[in-house]
Amino acid sequence: MKTHNVLIDTKDEKGLVYKISKLFFEHDLNIISNNEFVDKENEKFFMRTVISGLVKEEQLYKELRELLGENANIRIALPEKKNIILMVTKESHCLGDILIRYEAGELHANILAVISNYDELGSLVEKFDIPYYHISHDGLDREAHEKQITEKLKSYKDLDLIVLAKYMRILTPSFVDTFSEKIINIHHSFLPAFIGANPYKQAFRRGVKIIGATAHFVNNDLDEGPIITQNTINVDHSFNWKEMQRAGRDVEKIVLSSALKFALEDRIFVYDNKTVIL
Amino acid sequence: MKTHNVLIDTKDEKGLVYKISKLFFEHDLNIISNNEFVDKENEKFFMRTVISGLVKEEQLYKELRELLGENANIRIALPEKKNIILMVTKESHCLGDILIRYEAGELHANILAVISNYDELGSLVEKFDIPYYHISHDGLDREAHEKQITEKLKSYKDLDLIVLAKYMRILTPSFVDTFSEKIINIHHSFLPAFIGANPYKQAFRRGVKIIGATAHFVNNDLDEGPIITQNTINVDHSFNWKEMQRAGRDVEKIVLSSALKFALEDRIFVYDNKTVIL
Amino acid sequence: MKTHNVLIDTKDEKGLVYKISKLFFEHDLNIISNNEFVDKENEKFFMRTVISGLVKEEQLYKELRELLGENANIRIALPEKKNIILMVTKESHCLGDILIRYEAGELHANILAVISNYDELGSLVEKFDIPYYHISHDGLDREAHEKQITEKLKSYKDLDLIVLAKYMRILTPSFVDTFSEKIINIHHSFLPAFIGANPYKQAFRRGVKIIGATAHFVNNDLDEGPIITQNTINVDHSFNWKEMQRAGRDVEKIVLSSALKFALEDRIFVYDNKTVIL
Amino acid sequence: MKTHNVLIDTKDEKGLVYKISKLFFEHDLNIISNNEFVDKENEKFFMRTVISGLVKEEQLYKELRELLGENANIRIALPEKKNIILMVTKESHCLGDILIRYEAGELHANILAVISNYDELGSLVEKFDIPYYHISHDGLDREAHEKQITEKLKSYKDLDLIVLAKYMRILTPSFVDTFSEKIINIHHSFLPAFIGANPYKQAFRRGVKIIGATAHFVNNDLDEGPIITQNTINVDHSFNWKEMQRAGRDVEKIVLSSALKFALEDRIFVYDNKTVIL
């Protein structure tokens, strides 16, 4: 039997669970799983319910809208594969991790294409029969370069998500706005430590005993978008910055793939520059 | 406003969330937090709801019972401090960790007493104005020794929980049955590895690269009760068994205190020799 | 300038560091890095030194042998790429992780071939221009099947290491003896917990709150060989065994790749069914 | 037999291990353990050796000095208990963790006194028969307050280490200089993230998925001294800042006690605003 994911976030008030579950009950829908969170400080209610049964999407949406009012955010989605495009530069560990999961049928997504400002990773991507577009920034200013990328991205209808799998260039506000809340990035530090360029060099210089990685949605403040997942590993004085970088790659790829999984499963709410993951 | 914890586990069926939340709504109760879990394989539904409002406990219980039938487990409890007794042998790290939290007002419990088969820890316990009973096993068989302990435990009415904070003797089935699902133990390995005596010596001999600790409810299979919390840390070849033991203490105390916190906050369901923690 | 790895393990006695470093000094060799470990209980000395300079391997070996006697283990090796063969069954996560590192030039090894008892992973391996041999066990007893595998393995001269990257069949003592201390396996549990088949099912049934993985050398006691690396991650009641398996894959692949790295860098001593890693 | 810790750091050059171990050998000293590290970038050599035998400290120091020259740092110390003073404000978790270890005989130190700017923790400290000095900052400027503290500290001869176990006031440069490289602090974040006041509030506002703690030597840049130990734990959207604070306490106390252990065992080198721990 088909399931649907229903994601609701709205102002908290008494009786929400009752009213929403009543509606599911009246539609003769079964609740497969149900998770809620209330941010008491901000009086905000979040609910993710997986329902099964004969879902009349439009009708259910209409009734939820009537119930919850204009200000509620309501998503009803079949758990279908999302369409994603990866952007990379030269490093293959995050890209490769995603490709191997894809090949194994474990990634709940269609990879439409990989775009890079270099050609280094083309031969890897093409092994997996995925189009690889080398859009060099050579001789182009940032806007001109992004214009070419945006055209390529827009040539794909129904693009759901852009995954920056170690794409090492800063994006312009205009680009970010065009794909608002659709871009996930992996940053190679435990943000907010070591924002910006060369975080491993920064970490080495500071003499930290842990390094980490952060997957986040991209907004227009560099490395300051809503954090989805983070993790860290221990290092010690014997790691120079290149060894930190090497060790960090294993954290980066797992953190990015975890964040991507949450996004592909419709489990993320973005709110107040944070994420709620149900 | 006073809150209550409501814990329900029962056979899963369609409409449970709706029916239960309807009942809360009709009683004009507010849902502060709500967590559910469905074990699909076993068709078992678990729900922990924190409600606020004018709770008429008996009436609410009666109506929940009518709604859910005789086979449902239903608990409605004020989040009051539980009465606990600690049992120890000679090591102070778990005991001390609990005492420091207690002294700081962070432990949601009344420590009625500490019982030990040795007198080593008496001076520590008495600093905190808690009765310490040294019940030696010298010259006693197991039953006779436990008889004395049981009498002491039973002299405290309203005892909610017995915490074995490194009590190093095996308990008889009779003792365990007397205090069924009321005994929490900390075992100094990541169970089910290294059941029984001297787990650090076993771990050292096996040459493991991680060691750990497990807090669990005690049943009549040695170290096989329902696991509440576990954690591990990395070790390497340079650790002999005494160094593993020393390093492991930090894991043991944090794992036990975490498990105790879950128990004191009425967050644990025991089912199928496992725990569900909501 | 070329470096050499020198690995020595021998009975501990006074003056070993002095005598060995004196020999390096007299050969006008520079010590790039030096790590030692003494197992005091067993009076055993381990030393791994990276030296640079004009190393006359035979002469150095001869003098070390004279210095340390017949019972010492002495290895002097250029840090050259080792020749490895991977054995797999159907799961691609460990294999894929190694292939991606290989493609990126990060794996200090030549992958000579991949051998599998199924054909599922052939198309993945062939993308990377590595020979894939499907040696089915269908209709064969264990000895006959292994005979075919052994022939294939022996057809490669200078094979240094066999990596069981989720090869799901038990090997016979005869096979293990043939490739003694040359076989690394990844087991999908934190050994010694959950030896044998279906560790995730065992873990689920036991209700553990951590799962893990163990890379070890293979000997003739099932899952009891010397442990190289282990790691764990947290799970909770919401994971069924398939979800544990899925989550565990990320631990397995990182643990295996870490163990492989140690082996490829000549950093492992095997002793008393344990490893010392310097 | 008595052991000594010998710590040497100096400019790296060929033959150091040989020359130093030769000297130990000529003094008929046995090497119990030996660890080295070479920072190649900065051409800096670090060595920590535990030796046993009849150590003539002055003679050995003199010969090491002749061997290594004026610029080498050389420490030869019996592994005796260090004298420490704790400074605290109102929170008891780090203090309590240290007191419990002290009471158990596990802390290799004499706690001479505890100094606080509040009186809250006096009753806890006095349970352990340790002098508690309440030196209030009420009505005093920073200099006047620190003058009183400094006088108290200086009244203890042979003070080796000051441990800021959640002392919540910023120290002046003058105070820090007076006790240069003798002050260890615990900061309640994974530095360099969340420098300064209220790191848990900062972490909550940023929406991080990990929190951590950092033990470091204090210098005159706020929270920028050499890091000794760090660790992190996972959090999620359900943690408000107070819950992060509560969860973080367990990390803080373990991180501080680990750093303290390294210091008490003479295992730390400070160099280039970093630590090398052997």
Side-chain angles (χ1 to χ4, degrees), chain A:
Chain A
M1 183 164 293
K2 280 206 295 192
T3 63
H4 280 72
N5 300 327
V6 181
L7 282 82
I8 292 168
D9 65 87
T10 186
K11 190 177 178 317
D12 188 35
E13 60 179 65
K14 195 184 285 188
L16 279 176
V17 176
Y18 159 62
K19 288 170 187 166
I20 295 166
S21 61
K22 180 170 185 278
L23 213 153
F24 293 150
F25 187 72
E26 288 168 355
H27 277 250
D28 199 30
L29 301 171
N30 200 11
I31 293 178
I32 302 293
S33 75
N34 187 38
N35 288 285
E36 295 145 36
F37 171 64
V38 177
D39 177 340
K40 285 171 206 80
E41 205 175 63
N42 294 299
E43 296 190 344
K44 186 91 179 170
F45 172 89
F46 302 85
M47 182 172 180
R48 180 182 183 274
T49 311
V50 180
I51 51 177
S52 71
L54 198 66
V55 178
K56 295 167 190 156
E57 290 177 40
E58 277 180 47
Q59 183 62 21
L60 185 63
Y61 182 89
K62 192 167 150 281
E63 293 180 31
L64 280 169
R65 179 58 69 200
E66 278 165 20
L67 185 68
L68 300 169
E70 281 314 301
N71 293 318
N73 295 308
I74 302 169
R75 286 178 274 173
I76 303 176
L78 280 168
E80 284 175 341
K81 286 190 181 182
K82 293 196 195 307
N83 296 314
I84 69 176
I85 288 180
L86 310 177
M87 289 174 63
V88 298
T89 293
K90 289 177 176 178
E91 287 177 284
S92 68
H93 55 288
C94 287
L95 170 66
D97 195 65
I98 293 170
L99 291 175
I100 294 294
R101 291 172 200 263
Y102 186 62
E103 172 85 3
E106 285 174 27
L107 196 77
H108 195 60
N110 305 307
I111 302 180
L112 306 180
V114 177
I115 296 172
S116 178
N117 52 330
Y118 285 91
D119 61 3
E120 265 84 348
L121 298 173
S123 67
L124 174 62
V125 170
E126 281 156 12
K127 290 182 202 311
F128 293 85
D129 297 320
I130 296 167
Y132 182 85
Y133 301 107
H134 173 202
I135 303 180
S136 172
H137 59 272
D138 260 15
L140 297 178
D141 64 16
R142 198 170 297 274
E143 284 68 26
H145 182 232
E146 284 187 357
K147 189 163 176 291
Q148 291 186 22
I149 294 175
T150 302
E151 273 165 23
K152 184 54 72 185
L153 290 167
K154 292 209 162 170
S155 75
Y156 287 91
K157 298 231 162 60
D158 304 320
L159 173 62
D160 293 302
L161 210 56
I162 299 164
V163 181
L164 307 183
K166 303 288 288 180
Y167 180 71
M168 305 307 279
R169 285 173 64 84
I170 295 172
L171 300 167
T172 64
S174 156
F175 185 93
V176 172
D177 288 343
T178 307
F179 303 99
S180 175
E181 283 196 24
K182 284 191 164 179
I183 313 174
I184 292 179
N185 183 46
I186 179 73
H187 184 76
H188 37 315
S189 79
F190 48 97
L191 289 174
F194 309 127
I195 285 174
N198 294 320
Y200 291 119
K201 281 188 188 168
Q202 293 183 55
F204 173 68
R205 232 174 281 134
R206 181 62 188 89
V208 295
K209 303 295 185 183
I210 50 172
I211 57 173
T214 305
H216 63 94
F217 285 111
V218 175
N219 66 14
N220 276 316
D221 296 305
L222 179 62
D223 300 331
E224 304 222 335
I227 293 170
I228 306 169
T229 48
Q230 296 188 285
N231 215 339
T232 56
I233 51 167
N234 297 326
V235 292
D236 63 32
H237 60 261
S238 73
F239 287 67
N240 63 28
W241 80 263
K242 282 199 163 291
E243 286 155 342
M244 287 186 180
Q245 182 185 50
R246 198 202 46 70
R249 281 188 192 126
D250 285 346
V251 186
E252 292 169 29
K253 73 187 183 191
I254 302 298
V255 164
L256 179 59
S257 287
S258 300
L260 182 54
K261 185 169 188 292
F262 288 146
L264 297 177
E265 294 176 350
D266 281 322
R267 296 182 55 190
I268 310 177
F269 299 82
V270 174
Y271 171 65
D272 200 17
N273 204 39
K274 300 180 192 179
T275 62
V276 170
I277 298 174
L278 293 180

Side-chain angles (χ1 to χ4, degrees), chain C residues 30 51 91 96 105 122-123 129 138 144 160 171 180 182 197 202 212 218 225 228 237 247 250-251 253 258 263 265 270:
Chain C
N30 200 9
I51 50 176
E91 287 177 283
S123 68
D129 297 320
D138 260 17
D160 293 301
L171 300 167
S180 176
K182 284 192 165 179
Q202 294 183 55
V218 176
I228 306 169
H237 58 263
D250 285 346
V251 186
K253 72 186 182 192
S258 300
E265 294 176 352
V270 175

Side-chain angles (χ1 to χ4, degrees), chain B residues 92 96-97 100-101 103-104 106 123-124 127-128 246 249-250 253-254 261, chain D residues 92 96-97 100-101 103-104 106 123-124 127-128 246 249-250 253-254 261:
Chain B
S92 68
D97 196 65
I100 293 294
R101 290 173 201 262
E103 172 84 4
E106 282 174 29
S123 68
L124 175 63
K127 290 183 203 308
F128 292 86
R246 197 201 48 70
R249 283 189 191 124
D250 285 346
K253 72 186 183 191
I254 301 298
K261 185 168 189 290
Chain D
S92 68
D97 195 65
I100 294 294
R101 291 173 201 263
E103 172 84 5
E106 284 175 28
S123 67
L124 175 62
K127 289 182 203 309
F128 293 86
R246 198 200 46 68
R249 282 189 192 123
D250 285 346
K253 71 186 183 192
I254 301 300
K261 186 169 187 292

Side-chain angles (χ1 to χ4, degrees), chain D:
Chain D
M1 183 165 291
K2 280 206 294 192
T3 63
H4 280 71
N5 300 327
V6 181
L7 282 83
I8 293 168
D9 64 88
T10 186
K11 191 175 181 317
D12 188 34
E13 58 181 66
K14 196 184 283 189
L16 280 176
V17 176
Y18 160 60
K19 288 170 189 169
I20 296 167
S21 61
K22 178 168 185 277
L23 214 152
F24 294 150
F25 187 72
E26 289 169 354
H27 277 250
D28 199 28
L29 302 171
N30 199 9
I31 292 179
I32 302 294
S33 75
N34 187 38
N35 288 286
E36 295 145 36
F37 170 64
V38 176
D39 178 340
K40 286 173 206 79
E41 207 174 62
N42 293 298
E43 296 190 346
K44 186 93 179 168
F45 172 88
F46 301 86
M47 182 172 181
R48 180 183 182 274
T49 311
V50 181
I51 50 176
S52 71
L54 197 67
V55 177
K56 295 167 191 155
E57 289 178 41
E58 276 179 49
Q59 182 62 22
L60 185 63
Y61 182 88
K62 192 167 150 282
E63 293 181 30
L64 281 169
R65 177 61 66 200
E66 277 166 21
L67 185 68
L68 301 167
E70 281 314 299
N71 293 319
N73 296 308
I74 303 169
R75 286 179 274 171
I76 304 177
L78 280 168
E80 284 175 341
K81 286 191 180 182
K82 292 195 196 307
N83 297 314
I84 69 175
I85 287 180
L86 310 178
M87 289 174 62
V88 299
T89 293
K90 289 177 174 177
E91 286 177 284
S92 68
H93 56 287
C94 288
L95 170 65
D97 195 65
I98 293 170
L99 291 175
I100 294 294
R101 291 173 201 263
Y102 187 61
E103 172 84 5
E106 284 175 28
L107 196 77
H108 195 59
N110 305 307
I111 302 181
L112 306 180
V114 177
I115 296 173
S116 178
N117 52 331
Y118 284 91
D119 62 3
E120 266 82 350
L121 297 173
S123 67
L124 175 62
V125 170
E126 282 157 10
K127 289 182 203 309
F128 293 86
D129 297 321
I130 295 166
Y132 183 85
Y133 301 108
H134 172 202
I135 303 179
S136 173
H137 59 272
D138 259 17
L140 298 178
D141 64 15
R142 199 170 295 273
E143 283 70 24
H145 182 231
E146 283 187 358
K147 191 163 173 291
Q148 292 185 21
I149 294 175
T150 303
E151 273 165 23
K152 182 57 72 185
L153 290 168
K154 293 208 161 171
S155 74
Y156 288 90
K157 299 229 160 64
D158 303 320
L159 173 62
D160 292 303
L161 210 56
I162 299 164
V163 181
L164 306 183
K166 302 290 285 182
Y167 179 72
M168 305 306 280
R169 286 172 66 82
I170 295 171
L171 299 167
T172 64
S174 157
F175 185 94
V176 172
D177 288 343
T178 306
F179 303 99
S180 175
E181 283 198 26
K182 285 192 164 179
I183 314 175
I184 292 179
N185 182 46
I186 179 71
H187 184 76
H188 37 313
S189 80
F190 47 98
L191 289 173
F194 309 128
I195 285 173
N198 294 320
Y200 290 119
K201 281 188 188 168
Q202 294 183 55
F204 173 69
R205 231 173 282 132
R206 181 61 188 91
V208 293
K209 304 295 187 184
I210 49 171
I211 56 173
T214 305
H216 62 95
F217 286 111
V218 176
N219 65 13
N220 276 316
D221 296 305
L222 180 61
D223 300 331
E224 306 222 334
I227 293 171
I228 306 168
T229 48
Q230 297 188 285
N231 215 339
T232 57
I233 51 169
N234 296 327
V235 293
D236 63 32
H237 59 262
S238 74
F239 287 68
N240 63 29
W241 79 264
K242 282 199 163 292
E243 287 155 342
M244 287 185 179
Q245 182 185 50
R246 198 200 46 68
R249 282 189 192 123
D250 285 346
V251 186
E252 292 170 28
K253 71 186 183 192
I254 301 300
V255 164
L256 179 58
S257 287
S258 301
L260 182 53
K261 186 169 187 292
F262 288 146
L264 297 177
E265 294 176 349
D266 281 321
R267 297 182 54 190
I268 310 177
F269 299 80
V270 174
Y271 172 63
D272 200 17
N273 204 40
K274 301 179 190 179
T275 62
V276 169
I277 298 175
L278 293 180

Side-chain angles (χ1 to χ4, degrees), chain B residues 45-62:
Chain B
F45 172 87
F46 301 86
M47 181 172 180
R48 180 183 183 273
T49 312
V50 180
I51 51 177
S52 70
L54 198 66
V55 177
K56 295 166 191 157
E57 290 178 38
E58 279 180 46
Q59 183 61 23
L60 184 62
Y61 182 88
K62 190 166 151 282

